[in-house]
Amino acid sequence: MRAAHRVGRLALGLAAGLTLTLSGALPASAASTARADASSAHATETWTIRDVQQRICVSPTYGHPGAYFLVPVNGTWSTTLTTGIRNLPPGSTSVGGTPIPPGSNYGNTVNGFVQISIAPLPAGVYTAEIWASDGTVTRTAPATIESREGC
């Protein structure tokens, strides 16, 4: 009789484990370990946007309706990074940037792009900010927009 009970408990344990696995759930002890691992992984992530001295020169009369800046991210990250640009000159717009999936980069690879449309604007030098965010940390790099004749 004892052997039958042991086999029954073993079968019940296996069925519960299989059900949790198939449903994507974790037992409480494994879930807390996974959260701790994710928390420590996030704490050890190191990534930044490389400042590659990006600049564009545009005509004050016409601006530049279809341009982009690069989002070169170096380091390691475990969540998708969202990207964009802010502080554009008046009348200029952006539809946003490309998301950068989890990964790492320690070379000269460009991970993302930010599309911009620069409106006609008075001559001068404008500094926008390219940004990337993991949802907790946001990093930035400058992007120079020069408006002058003869570009």
Side-chain angles (χ1 to χ4, degrees), residues 76-105:
T76 301
W77 56 99
S78 63
T79 60
T80 297
L81 303 178
T82 56
T83 63
I85 191 166
R86 58 186 173 211
N87 302 330
L88 286 169
S92 299
T93 60
S94 174
V95 296
T98 56
I100 302 172
S104 63
N105 178 35

Side-chain angles (χ1 to χ4, degrees), residues 44-110:
T44 61
E45 288 182 36
T46 55
W47 62 272
T48 189
I49 295 179
R50 283 184 297 126
D51 180 0
V52 292
Q53 307 293 312
Q54 295 184 76
R55 60 185 307 116
I56 188 170
C57 187
V58 300
S59 160
T61 307
Y62 303 107
H64 198 297
Y68 61 91
F69 282 111
L70 308 175
V71 185
V73 176
N74 267 17
T76 301
W77 56 99
S78 63
T79 60
T80 297
L81 303 178
T82 56
T83 63
I85 191 166
R86 58 186 173 211
N87 302 330
L88 286 169
S92 299
T93 60
S94 174
V95 296
T98 56
I100 302 172
S104 63
N105 178 35
Y106 294 97
N108 293 321
T109 303
V110 173

